Every structure is written in C-alpha cells, then in structure tokens.
Amino acid sequence: MTAPGFPGPQQVGTGTIVRVERSGAVVTVATGLSFPSAMTLGPDGNLYVSNFGFAGPPGSGQILRVNLGHDRD
C-alpha cells in the first residue's frame, strides 16, 4: 500500500508490506516501496514484489525479493 490519497511523486517510497499473524498482530515485512502492484511467494519461500508497478517512467519497474526468514532448502 502507499500513503492515503491519489498517488503522486510525494508517494515514492511510502509503500509497505505487512503480515497479519494468527494473533492479529501486524508485522512489517518490507518498507520503502514505491507503488507495489503485485506479489507472489516463490518456491524458495521468498516473497517477490513488483515495485514501481505503475506511475514510474518506462523501464523503472523492479522485481524485488523479500526474505521472509524461512527459506526452503
């Protein structure tokens, strides 16, 4: 997610991914993202996130790997 409101240049770097534990506790997994638009779990146990999925200039998109702390062998 990004900060509330219409996305614009002031939103760059405000994206955050959180995990909700069974207890209901919210744990921050990644910060500093800019317009994350998709994510998936890889077979290696890492989370893969599309950063700058929109609102950036052509070619600015990134796929980021987020280690969730439970790598699979």
Side-chain angles (χ1 to χ4, degrees):
M1 75 173 93
T2 58
F6 186 76
Q10 68 277 14
Q11 303 296 321
V12 172
T14 65
T16 302
I17 297 173
V18 298
R19 176 179 63 232
V20 179
E21 301 285 343
R22 290 179 192 253
S23 66
V26 177
V27 177
T28 300
V29 174
T31 61
L33 301 171
S34 298
F35 309 112
S37 59
M39 60 183 148
T40 191
L41 286 170
D44 57 1
N46 291 312
L47 181 67
Y48 290 85
V49 181
S50 170
N51 195 39
F52 278 111
F54 68 95
S60 65
Q62 302 170 317
I63 301 296
L64 304 176
R65 181 178 59 211
V66 178
N67 184 322
L68 299 176
H70 53 272
D71 290 332
R72 297 181 185 165
D73 293 332

